[in-house]
């Protein structure tokens, strides 16, 4: 084998190992995972389907919460949540109309909200402050009005 060929092969293998290591770090250290929930919902009946008939926050343990969010044109329901610092919140979101996004800047929570599906992501809010909830999928004329906030106290 030509020396240049061997070098090229070594560089390729090193790149492969580096990217696999990055996936490992992102998954285990940064808690970034591919969407694993394949829960479905009838998008025409979101308003009547529990728990999305009563969207909002539910406490499930001393520091754990579930937040059921309906993303519709052009707002989140509810648009405002308050949790104590240290709360581990699992967000469940669905849409009765078009594709929306659900993104909390500064966290790994960034999901597409697709009609017919329930998206979910979990984040532990260690630091107090106000976190934005943004729609980051263009969903129509009011897309830029589609935001909410989470107060962590
Ligand atoms: Cu909803 Cu953009």
């Amino acid at each position: 084998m030509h020396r240049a060929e061997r070098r090229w092969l070594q560089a390729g293998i090193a790149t492969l190992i580096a990217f696999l290591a990055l996936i490992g770090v992102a998954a285990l250290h940064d808690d970034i995972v591919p969407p694993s929930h394949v829960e479905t919902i009838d998008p025409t009946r979101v308003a009547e389907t529990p728990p999305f008939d009563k969207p909002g926050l539910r406490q499930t343990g001393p520091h754990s919460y579930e937040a059921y969010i309906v993303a519709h044109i052009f707002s989140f329901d509810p648009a405002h949540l308050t949790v104590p610092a240290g709360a581990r919140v699992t967000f469940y979101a669905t849409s009765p109309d078009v594709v929306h996004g659900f993104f909390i800047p500064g966290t790994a929570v960034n999901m597409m909200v697709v009609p017919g599906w329930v998206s979910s992501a979990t984040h532990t809010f260690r630091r107090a402050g106000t976190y934005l909830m943004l729609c980051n999928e263009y969903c129509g004329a009011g897309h830029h009005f589609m935001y909410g906030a989470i107060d962590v106290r």
Side-chain angles (χ1 to χ4, degrees):
M1 191 187 290
H2 192 278
R3 193 176 344 136
E5 211 175 340
R6 186 180 308 144
R7 288 262 163 81
W8 191 238
L9 206 58
Q10 284 168 342
I13 290 167
T15 308
L16 184 66
I17 290 168
F19 279 111
L20 286 174
L22 268 179
I23 292 172
V25 169
L28 301 172
H29 184 263
D30 296 339
D31 207 17
I32 296 170
V33 290
S36 56
H37 290 258
V38 285
E39 222 179 304
T40 56
I41 185 170
D42 181 348
T44 63
R45 304 183 59 86
V46 169
E48 300 105 80
T49 308
F52 291 99
D53 57 337
K54 293 186 184 74
L57 199 65
R58 320 249 193 290
Q59 185 158 11
T60 55
H63 303 287
S64 54
Y65 295 81
E66 289 175 345
Y68 293 91
I69 310 269
V70 177
H72 51 73
I73 45 172
F74 293 105
S75 62
F76 293 111
D77 184 15
H80 196 269
L81 300 172
T82 304
V83 294
R88 179 180 163 86
V89 184
T90 301
F91 296 92
Y92 297 91
T94 193
S95 164
D97 41 52
V98 299
V99 176
H100 297 279
F102 185 84
F103 174 46
I104 305 174
T107 73
V109 178
N110 187 356
M111 20 186 219
M112 276 178 92
V113 183
V114 182
W117 298 85
V118 178
S119 307
S120 85
T122 301
H123 183 72
T124 302
F125 294 90
R126 294 203 172 82
R127 260 181 254 141
T130 300
Y131 294 76
L132 284 173
M133 302 190 282
L134 301 175
C135 177
N136 60 350
E137 293 280 343
Y138 183 74
C139 52
H143 162 71
H144 55 291
F145 295 121
M146 195 167 166
Y147 61 90
I150 303 160
D151 272 323
V152 180
R153 294 187 179 154

